[in-house]
Amino acid sequence: LAKTTQPISMDSYEGQEVNITCSHNNIATNDYITWYQQFPSQGPRFIIQGYKTKVTNEVASLFIPADRKSSTLSLPRVSLSDTAVYYCLVGDLNDYKLSFGAGTTVTVRA
Amino acid sequence: EPEVTQTPSHQVTQMGQEVILRCVPISNHLYFYWYRQILGQKVEFLVSFYNNEISEKSEIFDDQFSVERPDGSNFTLKIRSTKLEDSAMYFCASRRGTGWAETQYFGPGTRLLVL
């Protein structure tokens, strides 16, 4: 499983765009990049997943450069309810398990 | 939208007692998981289950732990003799299949407190 490094915390204000970059220098050819969100005392919730270039859904965008050694989760126009821990996970999707790191605690202020 | 459910939401038990945590995965999912999260720490994988057998387990999942799918809908985690350090949130997750589009869906968790 590729090791990931992401900032411990980030602060933002309502209406701003939040970009969280995750480093995964030893990503393997078969690995995908997945982001989860976790609110306090709740289970992790899938946000977005990609292999390369850009993926966008109704919640976020994921930017992956050509070398795939990093990825950036972009949350557009955050609100207070986006305050959560965001996890970057890298692995072969045929792996049975997910390996979570410490994640990035995003705090959105009014 | 279908979701994973877990019961109970909270469980308090005495050290040495047995507990059973229950999960109802999403109905057409075939892969089932248990994770735990000790307060303030990261989410840790415990076990995965497919086709009525354990696929993989972590070193945390020792002989005190067992999993079972007693019927077509429930998936349980049993801790035979709880220890203080078993206090944590326990999350069940399920996945429809393998492949890049298949993600794991987590339940809301059971908060276990061992006294």
Side-chain angles (χ1 to χ4, degrees):
Chain A
L1 294 170
K3 179 176 165 53
T4 60
T5 302
Q6 52 184 124
I8 295 173
S9 63
M10 296 181 72
D11 289 343
S12 184
Y13 290 92
E14 284 190 294
Q16 290 189 334
E17 178 181 82
V18 171
N19 296 304
I20 309 170
T21 296
C22 178
S23 297
H24 28 80
N25 290 316
N26 59 340
I27 189 169
T29 303
N30 293 333
D31 287 345
Y32 285 82
I33 300 155
T34 308
W35 286 80
Y36 277 79
Q37 173 193 57
Q38 186 181 28
F39 299 114
S41 299
Q42 294 188 29
R45 185 175 76 102
F46 170 83
I47 301 176
I48 198 166
Q49 183 173 269
Y51 183 81
K52 62 181 178 181
T53 63
K54 177 183 174 182
V55 181
T56 297
N57 62 22
E58 64 276 8
V59 176
S61 294
L62 178 59
F63 299 90
I64 307 167
D67 66 6
R68 304 200 326 121
K69 293 184 183 300
S70 67
S71 58
T72 298
L73 174 73
S74 180
L75 306 172
R77 296 181 298 282
V78 293
S79 63
L80 296 176
S81 61
D82 292 316
T83 294
V85 180
Y86 293 82
Y87 299 98
C88 167
L89 293 85
V90 173
D92 187 331
L93 286 168
N94 288 314
D95 284 344
Y96 289 114
K97 63 183 183 292
L98 295 176
S99 294
F100 289 83
T104 297
T105 299
V106 172
T107 304
V108 181
R109 305 181 195 282
Chain B
E1 179 178 310
E3 57 183 21
V4 177
T5 59
Q6 292 185 241
T7 55
S9 58
H10 294 78
Q11 172 111 29
V12 181
T13 190
Q14 296 290 324
M15 189 169 55
Q17 295 295 305
E18 174 183 287
V19 295
I20 297 176
L21 310 182
R22 292 183 167 79
C23 167
V24 179
I26 295 172
S27 63
N28 63 344
H29 284 194
L30 301 176
Y31 296 80
F32 314 113
Y33 308 82
W34 284 100
Y35 294 80
R36 80 171 185 190
Q37 186 174 30
I38 295 171
L39 186 63
Q41 299 187 24
K42 63 182 182 181
V43 178
E44 300 174 290
F45 167 78
L46 291 178
V47 65
S48 59
F49 191 86
Y50 169 71
N51 199 26
N52 284 319
E53 61 183 24
I54 291 174
S55 309
E56 187 173 355
K57 59 184 180 180
S58 72
E59 59 188 24
I60 302 169
F61 194 89
D62 60 22
D63 292 343
Q64 293 299 316
F65 292 88
S66 62
V67 289
E68 190 179 31
R69 187 154 163 83
D71 53 41
S73 59
N74 291 285
F75 180 51
T76 62
L77 174 69
K78 181 192 292 186
I79 309 175
R80 287 191 188 81
S81 178
T82 51
K83 308 183 193 70
L84 296 177
E85 55 264 37
D86 293 327
S87 295
M89 282 286 283
Y90 287 82
F91 297 109
C92 173
S94 70
R95 183 183 190 187
R96 185 172 60 179
T98 57
W100 80 273
E102 303 293 350
T103 58
Q104 289 188 30
Y105 294 86
F106 284 76
T110 293
R111 183 178 296 281
L112 175 66
L113 178 60
V114 181
L115 301 176

